[in-house]
Amino acid sequence: MGMHKMKIGLILIVTCITFLTPVHLAYLPSATISDLTLKNLDFAMNLYRKISSHDDKNIFFSPLSISTSFAALLMGSDGVTHKEILKGLNLGQLERADEPELIPRLFQLLHENITQGGSLKLEHGMALFLSQNFSVEEVFQDHIEKYFEADIRSVDFADSKGSISFVNEYIKNKTQDKMTDMLSTLDALTKLMLIDTILFQGSWRKPFNPNFTSNAPFHVNNYNIVQVPMMFLEDKFYSMHDVALGAKVLRLPYREGVSMLILLPNKGVDYTVIDDAITAKRFLSWIKELQRSTLEVNLPKFKMESSYSLQNLLPDMGMTSIFSNTANLTRLSKEEGLKVSEVVHKAMIEVDETGTIAAAATTSGIIPYSLPRIFTVNRPFFFFIYHEATNCVLFMGRVINPIENHPS
Ligand SMILES: *[C@@H]1O[C@H](CO)[C@@H](O)[C@H](O)[C@H]1NC(C)=O
Ligand SMILES: *[C@@H]1O[C@H](CO)[C@@H](O)[C@H](O)[C@H]1NC(C)=O
Ligand SMILES: *[C@@H]1O[C@H](CO)[C@@H](O)[C@H](O)[C@H]1NC(C)=O
Ligand SMILES: *[C@@H]1O[C@H](CO)[C@@H](O)[C@H](O)[C@H]1NC(C)=O
Ligand SMILES: *[C@@H]1O[C@H](CO)[C@@H](O)[C@H](O)[C@H]1NC(C)=O
């Protein structure tokens, strides 16, 4: 009797193992998040060059958030539209016919890696607002909820006023009241709107002492000098000099494995020249060549809020059909005539002394007899906020004038 039962038990276990193995393997992606971050990095730099060629003001955006939103739309698209998004996001090499969920799965893994344990304060939200006349394909809805934690909401766009306040209220809720009045106008013919919000509040690993912050000149250009609150900190930092480019690089670490990389053109080097030279390869070479030394850092406090209508930028990167009448979004909805009317991207950043007063500055060993080198950010500069373990760029921007809050 006992023997008999045991046999059954064993058989069951064996059956379970052989049954489970292939299922488990199917969830192991055939590429890594490093493959994805490399592709994302190229996309980020390409998009940056497009934005900077349209704009001579401050710039701030989240490439990760934009590529994530379009990776979500990728799953709803087919035909030419699908091919264009893949190419625009630079993800063609990660598309596998036998593994249709590879790209969304990698995005999910990347987001999990970055926000590990919830210690990083990165609030990311995605929502699709869809005209009520369209019904969403179940597979698409499942995937977008599973991999991107996105919400899908049905909106009566014909009622412009009502839908504006609905969308604005939704975003306000999602961003803990930090982003209000995101939309002011809305086309009554809107069919599909993708909204993506991202909010970052980092605390420096080595906070600046607010007592040392004082007004100092910032040279916007040869003719325009503004007074900005300049923060000061002396400590050991990682920095490097890109001689070929004519710019210096400084890494300012936040807590939670994220850093801000500042790229400061040398005196007399025009920032528009640097604009065109920023590439993924260069970015990675800066990180690789950083050296530790004692530095006196002077960095302006700044606050930026930016908003971009990506439907005006992405067509320049080959993504045209998704915004046109030839859009193929048949995997999102079977109904005809669906195209993306608007992609609004809004990002906010505040750079100040601490973020948390509790962590007092620990000014470590000032080397005697050798004066520290000085890194003074008193002219237009670039910055990249990136996750160190993955080299994933969460945000990037350019500051032409630190006291001008609204770049666009
Ligand atoms: C969308 O693309 C698929 C695959 O190429 C094609 O079969 C379908 O006819 C296209 N639909 C539309 C509306 O363009
Ligand atoms: C959309 O649906 C509403 C009712 O839900 C209807 O009044 C309207 O005519 C429809 N619009 C189109 C373009 O089909
Ligand atoms: C926003 O949150 C409030 C209270 O939590 C809720 O009453 C309201 O329905 C929410 N609005 C949207 C658009 O989700
Ligand atoms: C700033 O100065 C005030 C007043 O002198 C002092 O109480 C405070 O401890 C200083 N803060 C830091 C972080 O050094
Ligand atoms: C996050 O990604 C990096 C780089 O691929 C890897 O070294 C690290 O182990 C990952 N962490 C987790 C918890 O997956």
Side-chain angles (χ1 to χ4, degrees):
M1 267 290 269
M3 273 301 272
H4 191 62
K5 265 189 191 156
M6 221 164 115
K7 235 181 194 167
I8 292 170
L10 267 174
I11 290 163
L12 275 178
I13 290 162
V14 172
T15 318
C16 279
I17 291 166
T18 43
F19 180 68
L20 280 177
T21 308
V23 173
H24 179 69
L25 279 179
Y27 281 88
L28 274 181
S30 65
T32 64
I33 56 175
S34 304
D35 299 320
L36 178 63
T37 48
L38 271 179
K39 304 292 170 200
N40 279 352
L41 205 50
D42 275 320
F43 167 76
M45 304 307 172
N46 291 342
L47 180 60
Y48 174 79
R49 283 193 299 273
K50 287 289 173 245
I51 296 175
S52 65
S53 71
H54 280 90
D55 202 326
D56 58 0
K57 300 195 192 101
N58 293 344
I59 292 174
F60 180 60
F61 69 102
S62 167
L64 175 66
S65 143
I66 295 169
S67 51
T68 305
S69 325
F70 276 82
L73 282 177
L74 187 65
M75 293 192 303
S77 67
D78 208 345
V80 174
T81 306
H82 190 84
K83 289 203 183 79
E84 283 180 357
I85 301 176
L86 265 184
K87 190 150 183 273
L89 292 183
N90 201 25
L91 292 178
Q93 284 171 17
L94 293 178
E95 171 92 335
R96 309 257 198 282
D98 58 342
E99 216 180 336
E101 288 169 38
L102 174 62
I103 290 175
R105 176 74 181 130
L106 288 177
F107 271 93
Q108 187 188 33
L109 288 171
L110 177 61
H111 278 268
E112 281 171 8
N113 188 302
I114 290 170
T115 57
Q116 235 180 88
S119 60
L120 177 64
K121 265 200 106 182
L122 186 72
E123 282 142 36
H124 183 223
M126 190 197 298
L128 274 176
F129 295 92
L130 191 69
S131 168
Q132 358 173 258
N133 301 58
F134 293 89
S135 62
V136 180
E137 288 294 294
E138 226 169 273
V139 174
F140 176 77
Q141 176 139 10
D142 288 350
H143 283 174
I144 196 167
E145 284 167 359
K146 174 175 164 197
Y147 293 117
F148 299 96
E149 288 172 35
D151 288 330
I152 300 182
R153 293 281 184 275
S154 151
V155 179
D156 179 10
F157 287 113
D159 170 14
S160 291
K161 232 176 136 188
S163 35
I164 288 173
S165 76
F166 179 79
V167 171
N168 283 343
E169 189 61 25
Y170 176 90
I171 293 164
K172 193 165 161 255
N173 275 10
K174 279 280 164 172
T175 60
Q176 294 155 13
D177 295 352
K178 291 201 182 76
M179 282 186 192
T180 54
D181 303 322
M182 175 122 174
L183 294 181
S184 51
T185 59
L186 192 55
D187 190 333
L189 296 176
T190 299
K191 301 282 182 262
L192 176 61
M193 191 166 58
L194 178 72
I195 299 248
D196 190 88
T197 53
I198 189 159
L199 217 84
F200 174 67
Q201 277 177 309
S203 317
W204 298 121
R205 234 172 278 169
K206 294 164 182 170
F208 292 80
N209 184 340
N211 289 352
F212 297 156
T213 301
S214 61
N215 278 346
F218 186 96
H219 301 257
V220 175
N221 54 43
N222 286 340
Y223 316 101
N224 187 8
I225 299 172
V226 294
Q227 293 292 315
V228 300
M230 191 69 89
M231 307 185 291
F232 171 85
L233 179 61
E234 183 180 318
D235 210 321
K236 287 212 158 117
F237 289 103
Y238 283 89
S239 67
M240 62 86 66
H241 188 186
D242 187 333
V243 179
L245 187 62
K248 290 197 177 67
V249 176
L250 167 70
R251 196 184 79 177
L252 291 173
Y254 285 104
R255 296 200 216 135
E256 297 101 22
V258 173
S259 274
M260 177 186 275
L261 203 72
I262 289 177
L263 175 70
L264 179 70
N266 293 342
K267 261 188 201 141
V269 173
D270 188 347
Y271 66 79
T272 56
V273 173
I274 309 266
D275 270 341
D276 297 331
I278 293 177
T279 60
K281 209 173 141 202
R282 261 214 149 95
F283 174 80
L284 292 172
S285 77
W286 296 330
I287 292 178
K288 224 173 118 196
E289 287 163 33
L290 291 168
Q291 300 271 338
R292 196 157 181 258
S293 66
T294 303
L295 283 180
E296 255 183 53
V297 171
N298 296 280
L299 177 72
K301 264 167 87 154
F302 66 94
K303 199 170 157 179
M304 256 206 254
E305 188 177 328
S306 67
S307 169
Y308 296 97
S309 295
L310 297 178
Q311 70 273 16
N312 301 328
L313 287 165
L314 295 177
D316 273 1
M317 295 173 74
M319 294 190 230
T320 51
S321 77
I322 192 163
F323 304 111
S324 80
N325 291 332
T326 59
N328 188 333
L329 289 167
T330 45
R331 294 201 295 155
L332 194 160
S333 173
K334 281 281 173 282
E335 268 109 329
E336 280 179 21
L338 196 59
K339 64 174 176 183
V340 176
S341 322
E342 289 210 58
V343 186
V344 186
H345 176 72
K346 192 161 181 169
M348 284 164 99
I349 186 177
E350 191 168 350
V351 172
D352 64 9
E353 289 92 348
T354 72
T356 47
I357 311 251
T362 50
T363 306
S364 56
I366 298 161
I367 305 163
Y369 310 119
S370 86
L371 285 173
R373 287 185 298 134
I374 297 172
F375 197 105
T376 300
V377 185
N378 63 355
R379 51 188 181 272
F381 63 99
F382 304 83
F383 65 92
F384 307 82
I385 297 176
Y386 72 104
H387 180 243
E388 289 158 24
T390 57
N391 286 336
C392 179
V393 175
L394 310 175
F395 296 93
M396 65 185 283
R398 179 183 74 185
V399 178
I400 305 288
N401 183 346
I403 57 172
E404 193 180 80
N405 287 352
H406 300 272
S408 42

